[in-house]
Every structure is written in C-alpha cells, then in structure tokens.
Amino acid sequence: MINRNWILILTALFVVAMVGSCKEADQTASQSDKENVSTPAPTPIDQATVGEVNGKITFEGTRPKPQRINMDQDPTCEQKNHGPVFAEDGSVNDDGTLSNAFVYVKAGAARYVFAPPTTPAVLDQNGCMYKPHVLGIMAGQILQIVSSDDTTHNIHPMPKNNREWNMSQLPGAAPILQKFMQPEVMIPIKCNQHNWMKAWLGVVANPFFAVTGSDGAFTLKGLPPGDYTVEAWTATFGTQEQKVTIGPKESKAINFVFKPS
Ligand SMILES: [Cu+2]
C-alpha cells in the first residue's frame, strides 16, 4: 500500500516537472524568435581599417555659480554624503574642461547595423545621486539600475521617442532591467522621491559615443573610414556638431569650445 502511494506521488511530481520545463522552453523559444525578427544581422566591419576621433571639450567665459544641493528632505541621503554636494549640470572643471559632455556619432554610421553589447550599462544610485550623471547606451542594450542607498528611490525616465515609465526601488531590492529601443539623445531621468536627483541617458544606434570626465577628453574608437557628423551635447551650454572625414586607420582630433548659455 505504502509503495503504491509513493509511486503515485513520484509520478505526479514527474508530470508536474515535465509540464513546467516544457512551458519554460516554449517561453524561451518565443522570446528568441521575437528577437530574431526585430534584430537584423550586424554589418561586418574590417577592423584592420578602422580609425578614431578624439578631442577635448572646454569652456570659455564666466563660469556659472556652483549650485549646492539641499538634501534636508531625506536624512538618509544627507548622512551618506560627507559634506556639501553640488549639481553636476553647468559645472566646469578647474582646468576649464567640461565633464559630463556626451559625444557621439550623430550621422554617417546609419549604413551599418550594430549589435548592442550583451553586457548591461549600469546606473547606480549612491548618496541619492545618479552615478554616472551622464550615461551612454546602445538602443536595445540592457540598462541595469542598482541602488547603493538605504532609502527608496523611484526611477523615472522621461523620453520622447521611447516608452515612459517609473519604478520604485526599495533598499536592497533587485536591479531594475530595462531597454530603450529607439535612439534618443538625451533622455532625462529623475527620481520621484528626491527632486534633485537627475541623470541623462544617451541612446545611440551605434557604439560610437563617450562621456567626458575630469579631463574633458573623449575618444570614439573603431570608426570605419567615412564621413561623420560628431555631436557634443551638454546639459547647460547647448550642443555643437562638427563634420569629420576618417580615412583608413586615421586618428583625427576635433575640439569643442562651449560658451556661457
Ligand atoms: Cu531617489
């Protein structure tokens, strides 16, 4: 009697497991089918002939006054930052260069299809500030949003060409994974909990983009020979573009100088 019951139980468990794994396989298949339909094959690029564009972003003129951020509203945020915090938008480096400029190939690369990287672009929330403040990502690449804070954030991208959404992230919660399928420079991201939190996301159809750091420098590597329009975007001082022709294996320098807005 006992043996028969056990056989029945084991059989039932086996059936449940099989049904479960079939369902999983079905979902995986339909997901990859969808991706295959929407993603054309990448264009082969002769890596032996690629070149690059590099340069610096600088600022000339009277610098805007640094804007101090007031985090009184959430003591958790205030305590995590040791000392005053200033807004990144409009800030000029001591040496006159600009950080947080987004430089990318705006035109000239559309004749190629590029596969988005399989590694995600990561946006952290740390001290109730988005890190990094400006982030580049390829259309279709995963944006992984994490929080290093002991407070709840509500991430709210405000795109024009992509789907708008907002999601809360509690302390210790799993990363939020999202994709932006349409190129869009730039998507502002705010936090619905902390009105000072701001980030900018540059979604590009090609892998030729960079964000300047404390030296104001950028490099766009791996460019096939051709004519390109390179745009430099800043949150406060507007955008500028320059045309550049890259020959085989050529490295060209172009600089952008921004003035007070
Ligand atoms: Cu927040």
Side-chain angles (χ1 to χ4, degrees):
M1 207 51 187
I2 293 170
N3 279 348
R4 207 177 138 193
N5 280 347
W6 269 111
I7 288 167
L8 282 173
I9 290 167
L10 286 174
T11 310
L13 283 173
F14 179 74
V15 169
V16 167
M18 285 307 288
V19 169
S21 68
C22 284
K23 266 190 188 160
E24 219 167 285
D26 279 357
Q27 277 169 3
T28 317
S30 64
Q31 254 169 22
S32 65
D33 283 353
K34 263 187 221 158
E35 275 164 23
N36 286 342
V37 169
S38 60
T39 316
T43 317
I45 286 172
D46 180 4
Q47 292 299 322
T49 62
V50 297
E52 68 171 50
V53 175
N54 54 56
K56 268 202 176 187
I57 315 281
T58 53
F59 180 82
E60 276 178 15
T62 311
R63 301 177 180 200
K65 241 178 139 184
Q67 299 294 313
R68 190 169 171 180
I69 291 171
N70 183 346
M71 297 189 184
D72 282 358
Q73 173 212 323
D74 189 336
T76 314
C77 303
E78 203 159 40
Q79 282 154 20
K80 193 147 185 199
N81 292 289
H82 307 284
V85 181
F86 294 89
E88 295 102 329
D89 287 348
S91 85
V92 180
N93 299 329
D94 288 344
D95 64 358
T97 61
L98 288 179
S99 315
N100 291 314
F102 186 68
V103 188
Y104 71 106
V105 167
K106 185 181 185 179
R111 62 186 187 276
Y112 303 99
V113 173
F114 298 96
T118 48
T119 48
V122 180
L123 182 64
D124 187 19
Q125 297 155 107
N126 196 341
C128 303
M129 298 287 282
Y130 283 115
K131 311 275 178 183
H133 179 59
V134 176
L135 178 64
I137 191 170
M138 266 189 74
Q141 187 181 359
I142 292 173
L143 174 66
Q144 179 177 333
I145 302 161
V146 297
S147 176
S148 307
D149 288 336
D150 207 12
T151 189
T152 297
H153 294 293
N154 181 283
I155 304 98
H156 184 180
M158 293 171 292
K160 288 195 176 91
N161 303 335
N162 288 278
R163 185 176 56 85
E164 184 171 350
W165 52 268
N166 75 83
M167 288 178 85
S168 286
Q169 195 170 36
L170 273 64
I176 290 171
L177 306 175
Q178 288 285 332
K179 285 180 183 178
F180 298 82
M181 300 313 288
Q182 301 304 322
E184 185 169 352
V185 175
M186 304 286 286
I187 299 176
I189 301 178
K190 68 175 181 177
C191 171
N192 288 345
Q193 296 289 336
H194 307 105
N195 64 4
W196 64 85
M197 286 181 71
K198 199 170 196 186
W200 296 96
L201 185 69
V203 186
V204 186
N206 64 62
F208 311 122
F209 54 83
V211 178
T212 57
S214 55
D215 59 357
F218 69 88
T219 306
L220 307 177
K221 283 188 180 147
L223 284 166
D227 298 325
Y228 297 100
T229 303
V230 176
E231 183 172 82
W233 170 97
T234 70
T236 309
F237 309 116
T239 60
Q240 292 181 15
E241 55 181 56
Q242 290 189 42
K243 290 196 188 314
V244 59
T245 299
I246 300 292
K249 292 185 182 178
E250 196 177 9
S251 171
K252 258 197 189 157
I254 55 173
N255 296 313
F256 293 90
V257 182
F258 284 89
K259 301 216 152 55
S261 46

PDB file of all heavy atoms in Angstrom, residues 73-74 77 125 128-130 149 151-155 169 190-197, ligand 1:
ATOM      1  N   GLN A  73      15.379  67.010   2.997  1.00  0.00           N
ATOM      2  CA  GLN A  73      14.132  66.241   2.947  1.00  0.00           C
ATOM      3  C   GLN A  73      14.340  64.761   3.323  1.00  0.00           C
ATOM      4  O   GLN A  73      13.417  64.123   3.806  1.00  0.00           O
ATOM      5  CB  GLN A  73      13.604  66.374   1.518  1.00  0.00           C
ATOM      6  CG  GLN A  73      12.419  65.533   1.153  1.00  0.00           C
ATOM      7  CD  GLN A  73      12.454  65.140  -0.318  1.00  0.00           C
ATOM      8  OE1 GLN A  73      12.865  65.927  -1.170  1.00  0.00           O
ATOM      9  NE2 GLN A  73      12.057  63.915  -0.610  1.00  0.00           N
ATOM     10  N   ASP A  74      15.537  64.233   3.095  1.00  0.00           N
ATOM     11  CA  ASP A  74      15.786  62.822   3.394  1.00  0.00           C
ATOM     12  C   ASP A  74      17.127  62.686   4.116  1.00  0.00           C
ATOM     13  O   ASP A  74      18.195  62.718   3.494  1.00  0.00           O
ATOM     14  CB  ASP A  74      15.802  62.001   2.096  1.00  0.00           C
ATOM     15  CG  ASP A  74      15.841  60.496   2.376  1.00  0.00           C
ATOM     16  OD1 ASP A  74      16.304  60.101   3.464  1.00  0.00           O
ATOM     17  OD2 ASP A  74      15.414  59.725   1.493  1.00  0.00           O
ATOM     18  N   CYS A  77      19.917  60.419   2.835  1.00  0.00           N
ATOM     19  CA  CYS A  77      20.727  60.936   1.726  1.00  0.00           C
ATOM     20  C   CYS A  77      21.824  61.862   2.252  1.00  0.00           C
ATOM     21  O   CYS A  77      22.983  61.770   1.859  1.00  0.00           O
ATOM     22  CB  CYS A  77      19.861  61.715   0.743  1.00  0.00           C
ATOM     23  SG  CYS A  77      18.496  60.762   0.061  1.00  0.00           S
ATOM     24  N   GLN A 125      22.541  54.372  -7.874  1.00  0.00           N
ATOM     25  CA  GLN A 125      22.049  55.482  -7.049  1.00  0.00           C
ATOM     26  C   GLN A 125      22.830  55.414  -5.759  1.00  0.00           C
ATOM     27  O   GLN A 125      22.719  54.431  -5.006  1.00  0.00           O
ATOM     28  CB  GLN A 125      20.550  55.327  -6.819  1.00  0.00           C
ATOM     29  CG  GLN A 125      19.778  55.399  -8.127  1.00  0.00           C
ATOM     30  CD  GLN A 125      18.434  54.682  -8.067  1.00  0.00           C
ATOM     31  OE1 GLN A 125      17.392  55.294  -8.037  1.00  0.00           O
ATOM     32  NE2 GLN A 125      18.479  53.364  -8.008  1.00  0.00           N
ATOM     33  N   CYS A 128      22.029  59.280  -2.957  1.00  0.00           N
ATOM     34  CA  CYS A 128      20.897  59.952  -3.601  1.00  0.00           C
ATOM     35  C   CYS A 128      21.345  60.838  -4.752  1.00  0.00           C
ATOM     36  O   CYS A 128      20.829  61.944  -4.962  1.00  0.00           O
ATOM     37  CB  CYS A 128      20.079  60.734  -2.588  1.00  0.00           C
ATOM     38  SG  CYS A 128      19.478  59.675  -1.257  1.00  0.00           S
ATOM     39  N   MET A 129      22.316  60.342  -5.475  1.00  0.00           N
ATOM     40  CA  MET A 129      22.776  60.944  -6.726  1.00  0.00           C
ATOM     41  C   MET A 129      22.890  59.791  -7.729  1.00  0.00           C
ATOM     42  O   MET A 129      23.276  58.686  -7.352  1.00  0.00           O
ATOM     43  CB  MET A 129      24.151  61.608  -6.553  1.00  0.00           C
ATOM     44  CG  MET A 129      24.176  62.751  -5.544  1.00  0.00           C
ATOM     45  SD  MET A 129      23.350  64.252  -6.135  1.00  0.00           S
ATOM     46  CE  MET A 129      24.593  64.951  -7.231  1.00  0.00           C
ATOM     47  N   TYR A 130      22.569  60.066  -8.979  1.00  0.00           N
ATOM     48  CA  TYR A 130      22.758  59.048 -10.011  1.00  0.00           C
ATOM     49  C   TYR A 130      24.238  59.005 -10.396  1.00  0.00           C
ATOM     50  O   TYR A 130      24.868  60.047 -10.626  1.00  0.00           O
ATOM     51  CB  TYR A 130      21.928  59.380 -11.252  1.00  0.00           C
ATOM     52  CG  TYR A 130      20.450  59.077 -11.113  1.00  0.00           C
ATOM     53  CD1 TYR A 130      19.503  60.092 -11.129  1.00  0.00           C
ATOM     54  CD2 TYR A 130      19.998  57.758 -10.990  1.00  0.00           C
ATOM     55  CE1 TYR A 130      18.145  59.817 -11.021  1.00  0.00           C
ATOM     56  CE2 TYR A 130      18.641  57.480 -10.873  1.00  0.00           C
ATOM     57  CZ  TYR A 130      17.721  58.506 -10.895  1.00  0.00           C
ATOM     58  OH  TYR A 130      16.373  58.227 -10.785  1.00  0.00           O
ATOM     59  N   ASP A 149      21.818  52.753  -1.856  1.00  0.00           N
ATOM     60  CA  ASP A 149      21.284  53.588  -0.775  1.00  0.00           C
ATOM     61  C   ASP A 149      20.306  52.846   0.111  1.00  0.00           C
ATOM     62  O   ASP A 149      19.620  51.925  -0.321  1.00  0.00           O
ATOM     63  CB  ASP A 149      20.576  54.814  -1.360  1.00  0.00           C
ATOM     64  CG  ASP A 149      21.563  55.807  -1.938  1.00  0.00           C
ATOM     65  OD1 ASP A 149      22.740  55.802  -1.507  1.00  0.00           O
ATOM     66  OD2 ASP A 149      21.156  56.592  -2.817  1.00  0.00           O
ATOM     67  N   THR A 151      17.561  53.953   1.192  1.00  0.00           N
ATOM     68  CA  THR A 151      16.303  54.683   1.085  1.00  0.00           C
ATOM     69  C   THR A 151      15.626  54.272  -0.219  1.00  0.00           C
ATOM     70  O   THR A 151      16.275  53.712  -1.100  1.00  0.00           O
ATOM     71  CB  THR A 151      16.548  56.214   1.131  1.00  0.00           C
ATOM     72  OG1 THR A 151      15.290  56.886   1.226  1.00  0.00           O
ATOM     73  CG2 THR A 151      17.278  56.712  -0.106  1.00  0.00           C
ATOM     74  N   THR A 152      14.336  54.549  -0.347  1.00  0.00           N
ATOM     75  CA  THR A 152      13.602  54.152  -1.545  1.00  0.00           C
ATOM     76  C   THR A 152      13.727  55.221  -2.633  1.00  0.00           C
ATOM     77  O   THR A 152      13.559  56.402  -2.364  1.00  0.00           O
ATOM     78  CB  THR A 152      12.114  53.919  -1.208  1.00  0.00           C
ATOM     79  OG1 THR A 152      12.038  52.839  -0.278  1.00  0.00           O
ATOM     80  CG2 THR A 152      11.312  53.576  -2.449  1.00  0.00           C
ATOM     81  N   HIS A 153      14.050  54.770  -3.833  1.00  0.00           N
ATOM     82  CA  HIS A 153      14.082  55.676  -4.992  1.00  0.00           C
ATOM     83  C   HIS A 153      12.951  55.311  -5.934  1.00  0.00           C
ATOM     84  O   HIS A 153      12.434  54.197  -5.919  1.00  0.00           O
ATOM     85  CB  HIS A 153      15.410  55.539  -5.746  1.00  0.00           C
ATOM     86  CG  HIS A 153      16.601  55.994  -4.960  1.00  0.00           C
ATOM     87  ND1 HIS A 153      16.802  57.309  -4.602  1.00  0.00           N
ATOM     88  CD2 HIS A 153      17.656  55.313  -4.451  1.00  0.00           C
ATOM     89  CE1 HIS A 153      17.937  57.419  -3.922  1.00  0.00           C
ATOM     90  NE2 HIS A 153      18.479  56.208  -3.801  1.00  0.00           N
ATOM     91  N   ASN A 154      12.570  56.258  -6.764  1.00  0.00           N
ATOM     92  CA  ASN A 154      11.611  55.967  -7.837  1.00  0.00           C
ATOM     93  C   ASN A 154      12.184  56.523  -9.128  1.00  0.00           C
ATOM     94  O   ASN A 154      12.206  57.741  -9.347  1.00  0.00           O
ATOM     95  CB  ASN A 154      10.244  56.593  -7.532  1.00  0.00           C
ATOM     96  CG  ASN A 154       9.236  56.289  -8.625  1.00  0.00           C
ATOM     97  OD1 ASN A 154       9.252  56.886  -9.689  1.00  0.00           O
ATOM     98  ND2 ASN A 154       8.361  55.340  -8.374  1.00  0.00           N
ATOM     99  N   ILE A 155      12.672  55.610  -9.945  1.00  0.00           N
ATOM    100  CA  ILE A 155      13.388  56.000 -11.171  1.00  0.00           C
ATOM    101  C   ILE A 155      12.368  56.329 -12.261  1.00  0.00           C
ATOM    102  O   ILE A 155      11.480  55.528 -12.540  1.00  0.00           O
ATOM    103  CB  ILE A 155      14.335  54.864 -11.635  1.00  0.00           C
ATOM    104  CG1 ILE A 155      15.301  54.506 -10.507  1.00  0.00           C
ATOM    105  CG2 ILE A 155      15.109  55.258 -12.873  1.00  0.00           C
ATOM    106  CD1 ILE A 155      14.891  53.307  -9.695  1.00  0.00           C
ATOM    107  N   GLN A 169      12.310  51.490  -6.245  1.00  0.00           N
ATOM    108  CA  GLN A 169      13.347  50.526  -5.870  1.00  0.00           C
ATOM    109  C   GLN A 169      13.636  50.699  -4.381  1.00  0.00           C
ATOM    110  O   GLN A 169      14.166  51.730  -3.957  1.00  0.00           O
ATOM    111  CB  GLN A 169      14.601  50.761  -6.722  1.00  0.00           C
ATOM    112  CG  GLN A 169      15.586  49.612  -6.678  1.00  0.00           C
ATOM    113  CD  GLN A 169      16.688  49.764  -7.706  1.00  0.00           C
ATOM    114  OE1 GLN A 169      17.137  50.877  -7.970  1.00  0.00           O
ATOM    115  NE2 GLN A 169      17.136  48.657  -8.280  1.00  0.00           N
ATOM    116  N   LYS A 190      14.656  61.338 -13.807  1.00  0.00           N
ATOM    117  CA  LYS A 190      14.540  61.939 -12.486  1.00  0.00           C
ATOM    118  C   LYS A 190      14.140  60.877 -11.478  1.00  0.00           C
ATOM    119  O   LYS A 190      13.856  59.732 -11.849  1.00  0.00           O
ATOM    120  CB  LYS A 190      13.546  63.089 -12.510  1.00  0.00           C
ATOM    121  CG  LYS A 190      12.096  62.682 -12.728  1.00  0.00           C
ATOM    122  CD  LYS A 190      11.173  63.905 -12.607  1.00  0.00           C
ATOM    123  CE  LYS A 190       9.721  63.505 -12.800  1.00  0.00           C
ATOM    124  NZ  LYS A 190       8.789  64.619 -12.629  1.00  0.00           N
ATOM    125  N   CYS A 191      14.129  61.273 -10.201  1.00  0.00           N
ATOM    126  CA  CYS A 191      13.667  60.388  -9.137  1.00  0.00           C
ATOM    127  C   CYS A 191      12.428  61.030  -8.543  1.00  0.00           C
ATOM    128  O   CYS A 191      12.470  62.195  -8.149  1.00  0.00           O
ATOM    129  CB  CYS A 191      14.750  60.216  -8.064  1.00  0.00           C
ATOM    130  SG  CYS A 191      14.155  59.342  -6.604  1.00  0.00           S
ATOM    131  N   ASN A 192      11.338  60.281  -8.485  1.00  0.00           N
ATOM    132  CA  ASN A 192      10.095  60.862  -7.958  1.00  0.00           C
ATOM    133  C   ASN A 192      10.118  61.019  -6.440  1.00  0.00           C
ATOM    134  O   ASN A 192       9.214  61.609  -5.870  1.00  0.00           O
ATOM    135  CB  ASN A 192       8.890  60.022  -8.389  1.00  0.00           C
ATOM    136  CG  ASN A 192       8.590  60.188  -9.875  1.00  0.00           C
ATOM    137  OD1 ASN A 192       9.094  61.112 -10.521  1.00  0.00           O
ATOM    138  ND2 ASN A 192       7.782  59.295 -10.416  1.00  0.00           N
ATOM    139  N   GLN A 193      11.157  60.465  -5.792  1.00  0.00           N
ATOM    140  CA  GLN A 193      11.285  60.623  -4.339  1.00  0.00           C
ATOM    141  C   GLN A 193      12.159  61.819  -3.971  1.00  0.00           C
ATOM    142  O   GLN A 193      11.962  62.438  -2.936  1.00  0.00           O
ATOM    143  CB  GLN A 193      11.914  59.363  -3.721  1.00  0.00           C
ATOM    144  CG  GLN A 193      11.084  58.107  -3.857  1.00  0.00           C
ATOM    145  CD  GLN A 193       9.852  58.128  -2.966  1.00  0.00           C
ATOM    146  OE1 GLN A 193       9.808  58.818  -1.956  1.00  0.00           O
ATOM    147  NE2 GLN A 193       8.829  57.392  -3.356  1.00  0.00           N
ATOM    148  N   HIS A 194      13.176  62.067  -4.793  1.00  0.00           N
ATOM    149  CA  HIS A 194      14.169  63.092  -4.460  1.00  0.00           C
ATOM    150  C   HIS A 194      14.286  64.033  -5.662  1.00  0.00           C
ATOM    151  O   HIS A 194      14.871  63.660  -6.676  1.00  0.00           O
ATOM    152  CB  HIS A 194      15.526  62.438  -4.151  1.00  0.00           C
ATOM    153  CG  HIS A 194      15.435  61.364  -3.106  1.00  0.00           C
ATOM    154  ND1 HIS A 194      15.509  60.024  -3.419  1.00  0.00           N
ATOM    155  CD2 HIS A 194      15.239  61.453  -1.759  1.00  0.00           C
ATOM    156  CE1 HIS A 194      15.383  59.315  -2.294  1.00  0.00           C
ATOM    157  NE2 HIS A 194      15.218  60.152  -1.277  1.00  0.00           N
ATOM    158  N   ASN A 195      13.751  65.237  -5.506  1.00  0.00           N
ATOM    159  CA  ASN A 195      13.601  66.099  -6.692  1.00  0.00           C
ATOM    160  C   ASN A 195      14.931  66.632  -7.251  1.00  0.00           C
ATOM    161  O   ASN A 195      14.965  67.164  -8.345  1.00  0.00           O
ATOM    162  CB  ASN A 195      12.614  67.248  -6.414  1.00  0.00           C
ATOM    163  CG  ASN A 195      13.112  68.179  -5.327  1.00  0.00           C
ATOM    164  OD1 ASN A 195      14.236  68.018  -4.825  1.00  0.00           O
ATOM    165  ND2 ASN A 195      12.304  69.148  -4.946  1.00  0.00           N
ATOM    166  N   TRP A 196      16.025  66.467  -6.506  1.00  0.00           N
ATOM    167  CA  TRP A 196      17.320  66.939  -7.013  1.00  0.00           C
ATOM    168  C   TRP A 196      18.026  65.874  -7.866  1.00  0.00           C
ATOM    169  O   TRP A 196      18.991  66.183  -8.565  1.00  0.00           O
ATOM    170  CB  TRP A 196      18.239  67.342  -5.850  1.00  0.00           C
ATOM    171  CG  TRP A 196      18.581  66.179  -4.958  1.00  0.00           C
ATOM    172  CD1 TRP A 196      19.590  65.276  -5.153  1.00  0.00           C
ATOM    173  CD2 TRP A 196      17.907  65.776  -3.762  1.00  0.00           C
ATOM    174  NE1 TRP A 196      19.579  64.331  -4.152  1.00  0.00           N
ATOM    175  CE2 TRP A 196      18.568  64.622  -3.288  1.00  0.00           C
ATOM    176  CE3 TRP A 196      16.821  66.292  -3.038  1.00  0.00           C
ATOM    177  CZ2 TRP A 196      18.174  63.969  -2.122  1.00  0.00           C
ATOM    178  CZ3 TRP A 196      16.426  65.631  -1.879  1.00  0.00           C
ATOM    179  CH2 TRP A 196      17.097  64.481  -1.429  1.00  0.00           C
ATOM    180  N   MET A 197      17.545  64.636  -7.779  1.00  0.00           N
ATOM    181  CA  MET A 197      18.243  63.549  -8.494  1.00  0.00           C
ATOM    182  C   MET A 197      17.963  63.636  -9.988  1.00  0.00           C
ATOM    183  O   MET A 197      16.813  63.659 -10.412  1.00  0.00           O
ATOM    184  CB  MET A 197      17.804  62.176  -7.971  1.00  0.00           C
ATOM    185  CG  MET A 197      18.372  61.854  -6.604  1.00  0.00           C
ATOM    186  SD  MET A 197      17.864  60.229  -6.022  1.00  0.00           S
ATOM    187  CE  MET A 197      18.810  59.162  -7.111  1.00  0.00           C
TER     188      MET A 197
HETATM  189 CU    CU B   1      15.782  58.972  -5.162  1.00  0.00          CU
END
